[in-house]
Amino acid sequence: SSSSSTASSTSTSTSTVTITSTSSTTTTLAGSACNGVRTVYDSESALLRELNIVDLDGTWDIMPATSATLGTQYLRVDAQTQPDANVKFFTSALPAGYYIVELSLAASSDNVNKALVQVKHAGGKSEQIINQRSNDGAFTMPTGGNWITVPGGPYLFDGSSDRFGVQIEPKSSSTTGFVVVDSIAFVACAEP
């Protein structure tokens, strides 16, 4: 299946692409210490779209970075005018294994209070609702950004190239506000 993707911007600046980085931060979920390699994908990266690691459906606005975002820009879409818009992050470039999923979040009262985050993993699909109006539970990283951990992990990703790992979209067309997507991190974990 093919998808159409458009990102519009009045700026001509290019984004910095961070494909992998390591972090000394340890996150504990479900009794499993996750302190392995932290792989970060920046959503507005043209390079990652060319490598089929990030896929955009719909017309997303490229917004200038804030103190809460990673890199120089982030993506935003109006949930009511584009309820089918989504951003997919593919995990085929990750080594097979368990990961927690973290999202960089630029919280704002203009954002949706119900963004749907779908995680497709070796065990099936998990859906979580994220309030993008609040920084509740957010933490900062030395590399920048306010981050939240997607509940339900760690998730087993098997390196399959035929499915996305994480998709972010409006919960429904009745959701008001903007869905924002900045960066995503996959933090390697020991098997739970």
Side-chain angles (χ1 to χ4, degrees), residues 59-75:
T59 303
W60 291 77
D61 296 321
I62 298 177
M63 305 301 294
T66 70
S67 62
T69 58
L70 182 70
T72 59
Q73 301 167 326
Y74 67 97
L75 301 176

Side-chain angles (χ1 to χ4, degrees), residues 11-16 72-73:
S11 171
T12 58
S13 65
T14 58
S15 63
T16 302
T72 59
Q73 301 167 326

Side-chain angles (χ1 to χ4, degrees), residues 167-191:
Q167 177 173 308
I168 304 166
E169 63 187 57
K171 171 65 175 149
S172 70
S173 60
S174 63
T175 301
T176 59
F178 294 101
V179 173
V180 294
V181 179
D182 182 29
S183 300
I184 192 167
F186 297 93
V187 183
C189 299
E191 185 173 342

